[in-house]
Amino acid sequence: MNLDFAQLVPSIPYILYGIWVTLQFVAVSLVLGFIWGTVLSLFKIGKIKILRWFADAYTSVFRGTPLILQMLLIYYAVPQLTGVDIGAFSAGVLTFALNSAAYISEIIRAGINAVDKGQKEAAMALGVPYRTMMLKIILPQAFKNILPALMNEFITLTKESAIVSVIGALDIMRRAQIVGASNYRFFEPLLLAGLVYYLLVMMLTLAGRVMERRLAKSD
Amino acid sequence: MIDVQGLRKSFGSNEVLKGISTSIKKGEVIAVIGPSGSGKSTFLRCLNLLETHDEGSILVEGKDINDMELHLRKKIGMVFQHFNLFPHLTVLENVTFAPQQVLKISKSEAEREALDLLKTVGLSDKANSYPSNLSGGQKQRVAIARALAMKPEVMLFDEPTSALDPEMVKEVLQVMKNLVKLGMTMVIVTHEMGFAKEVADRVLFMDDGKLVEDQEPAIFFENPSTDRAKAFLEKVL
């Protein structure tokens, strides 16, 4: 047992810079995944059969296959077909957004269905158009109910983002591995990476609690 | 104002409306009574397209309601048994929401009108409360104010006091009586026989999806012409 953190010190800024990369990655995937997931959930509860079928099939495929397979397909296979190389970061973001949208759409669909039917009827009886009703009456209430489940999905996304290191995006994980390999010492950089991920997740958890409390003001 | 002809409606194989015909004149107050499952609520919900009828026709001022969805809903206000207030909005926001979103009037104008309405239902002091902090009776009064904010020509009430604790029924009925005095056209599905007798111009008695009696309340309650109505009144009075 000989841990030597002193040797790690010169590489710490290099690894910590990965936080920025990971955060960018997670934030973009999250926003895109959330928007696309909301759209998919509206397809699922909508009246148009073909859209409903599409959203169900989509969810089934993205939930039914490994994330890493989806990522490798997008990163290696898409350029093979189209000749367009979209880069590791974009490929990672695309994969995570498409994948988490499948999960998020299920969460939101459940949330919308859990909103009392009377809410929709009251809005309809007041002549409120569908779009306004969804945006201002149904979704805000659904969102409140699903916040814990949604935070869970975001936390998973943050942690799972480490697999973009496989296609060479320079996130925290990848940087820790590079430092480990160049020093022939893996324990210290991986421990640091682990600590950073843990702190990121804790921050997300706290942010979720604050939001939950704020949304609870109407209770 | 509203003409209903041969209205039929089924849910699956269960026919809940078996040919209802009646008409509602401007300024009339109509009480719809009858046993549970007789189709009262479905009838009411057909009048503002919350349910679509299978056969027959409903004309509002001569126009078929199927051709006038949003326009119809602006004309007809509805109050539900379970209030259905928007829980994430304050009382004031509940009342101003539709006027702002649907009638596109300004926020300040909507709030001014909403505060007036809240005053008439006796809830000025609750404008900034959330529905969860109100009693059932208060919620229903807000729901009435919310419907009135759209300046409807007809108000539909679907068992407005059935979900209330007994001591709160009176405050809601009082607000409704004030509306009657203002000449509002109202269709009220209710189990409050005393109220129906007092304020209604006509009583529609429904049973098993049919309109069994259409009568002035004095006659209906004193001397109903059908055995079915007699049996019903014996149970509830």
Side-chain angles (χ1 to χ4, degrees):
Chain A
M1 186 87 172
N2 57 340
L3 283 179
D4 181 6
F5 284 97
Q7 209 193 10
L8 183 66
V9 170
S11 309
I12 288 179
Y14 178 75
I15 295 178
L16 291 187
Y17 188 76
I19 297 178
W20 174 233
V21 178
T22 295
L23 280 181
Q24 270 182 312
F25 180 83
V26 170
V28 178
S29 309
L30 235 166
V31 171
L32 292 179
F34 184 70
I35 294 170
W36 180 222
T38 308
V39 172
L40 283 173
S41 70
L42 292 176
F43 285 177
K44 285 178 186 178
I45 60 162
K47 288 198 177 87
I48 306 169
K49 248 193 185 140
I50 181 91
L51 292 181
R52 232 166 40 203
W53 176 87
F54 167 76
D56 285 340
Y58 179 96
T59 304
S60 168
V61 169
F62 275 89
R63 280 205 306 199
T65 54
L67 180 58
I68 191 161
L69 175 97
Q70 294 162 16
M71 190 175 66
L72 294 181
L73 268 176
I74 288 176
Y75 185 59
Y76 292 119
V78 170
Q80 180 197 328
L81 280 184
T82 61
V84 184
D85 183 1
I86 55 173
F89 186 84
S90 311
V93 164
L94 195 60
T95 312
F96 273 79
L98 292 176
N99 182 275
S100 68
Y103 290 90
I104 289 172
S105 72
E106 276 301 288
I107 296 173
I108 296 177
R109 184 187 61 82
I112 291 173
N113 285 342
V115 174
D116 178 20
K117 245 177 48 201
Q119 293 292 308
K120 190 176 168 188
E121 290 184 351
M124 280 164 66
L126 288 165
V128 179
Y130 182 82
R131 198 185 137 83
T132 314
M133 169 182 84
M134 270 301 167
L135 284 175
K136 307 226 159 146
I137 302 293
I138 308 295
L139 284 175
Q141 292 182 56
F143 186 67
K144 187 176 150 185
N145 295 336
I146 62 178
L147 194 66
L150 222 43
M151 281 323 282
N152 213 14
E153 175 59 25
F154 295 164
I155 285 168
T156 307
L157 184 65
T158 306
K159 285 183 304 175
E160 295 299 307
S161 75
I163 74 161
V164 287
S165 61
V166 171
I167 54 172
L170 286 172
D171 70 330
I172 303 167
M173 188 67 198
R174 179 79 186 150
R175 285 163 189 262
Q177 284 175 307
I178 289 172
V179 169
S182 66
N183 292 350
Y184 300 111
R185 300 187 69 88
F186 284 94
F187 200 91
E188 296 86 347
L190 288 179
L191 201 64
L192 178 66
L195 183 69
V196 170
Y197 279 114
Y198 183 73
L199 290 177
L200 283 180
V201 168
M202 282 302 106
M203 270 157 48
L204 261 182
T205 311
L206 279 179
R209 286 211 189 118
V210 170
M211 243 197 291
E212 241 174 283
R213 223 171 295 144
R214 196 171 294 172
L215 286 175
K217 73 178 170 166
S218 59
D219 290 341
Chain B
M1 170 157 212
I2 302 179
D3 271 299
V4 181
Q5 281 302 326
L7 198 68
R8 283 174 182 274
K9 167 79 183 171
S10 302
F11 294 111
S13 61
N14 183 19
E15 191 173 34
V16 284
L17 295 179
K18 300 174 181 171
I20 304 283
S21 299
T22 186
S23 66
I24 298 156
K25 292 190 208 72
K26 196 166 178 54
E28 252 186 332
V29 176
I30 295 189
V32 184
I33 65 176
S36 319
S38 58
K40 312 182 292 288
S41 287
T42 307
F43 169 62
L44 196 72
R45 290 161 61 85
C46 282
L47 295 181
N48 74 343
L49 285 176
L50 282 183
E51 306 288 356
T52 47
H53 52 274
D54 302 330
E55 280 175 51
S57 67
I58 303 175
L59 304 181
V60 174
E61 290 174 341
K63 274 180 272 176
D64 194 308
I65 62 166
N66 287 321
D67 303 332
M68 51 189 292
E69 182 168 339
L70 284 180
H71 184 62
L72 174 85
R73 299 238 173 90
K74 284 181 209 165
K75 269 183 193 279
I76 300 186
M78 177 141 185
V79 173
F80 298 87
Q81 180 176 1
H82 295 287
F83 332 126
N84 298 350
L85 293 179
F86 305 131
H88 61 304
L89 302 179
T90 64
V91 164
L92 187 64
E93 288 165 343
N94 261 281
V95 181
T96 58
F97 182 81
Q100 279 183 262
Q101 297 290 338
V102 182
L103 304 179
K104 306 290 181 197
I105 68 173
S106 71
K107 189 175 179 206
S108 57
E109 175 84 4
E111 285 185 349
R112 203 175 47 74
E113 287 178 6
L115 287 170
D116 277 349
L117 282 170
L118 288 175
K119 203 161 144 194
T120 64
V121 299
L123 288 169
S124 298
D125 55 325
K126 298 288 183 190
N128 295 311
S129 303
Y130 282 94
S132 56
N133 295 321
L134 303 182
S135 70
Q138 290 171 330
K139 282 183 195 166
Q140 197 58 297
R141 286 187 280 154
V142 173
I144 293 172
R146 179 176 69 173
L148 290 174
M150 292 295 285
K151 304 194 176 71
E153 290 167 31
V154 184
M155 284 283 279
L156 309 178
F157 292 84
D158 190 4
E159 303 196 23
T161 59
S162 297
L164 298 177
D165 291 336
E167 70 266 31
M168 292 171 184
V169 169
K170 216 172 160 186
E171 63 189 57
V172 171
L173 293 183
Q174 190 54 51
V175 167
M176 292 170 65
K177 279 182 199 167
N178 293 341
L179 272 180
V180 173
K181 276 186 209 142
L182 293 172
M184 176 65 79
T185 311
M186 294 160 75
V187 184
I188 309 163
V189 172
T190 185
H191 292 295
E192 296 290 331
M193 297 305 149
F195 178 73
K197 197 170 173 177
E198 187 184 337
V199 305
D201 298 313
R202 273 162 57 206
V203 172
L204 305 187
F205 175 71
M206 288 181 63
D207 186 37
D208 193 28
K210 293 188 212 97
L211 184 55
V212 180
E213 293 204 27
D214 180 346
Q215 197 56 273
E216 280 174 40
I219 298 170
F220 176 80
F221 286 105
E222 297 313 317
N223 195 8
S225 49
T226 59
D227 289 342
R228 190 65 197 87
K230 267 178 206 153
F232 175 76
L233 287 174
E234 260 166 39
K235 273 184 211 155
V236 296
L237 289 179

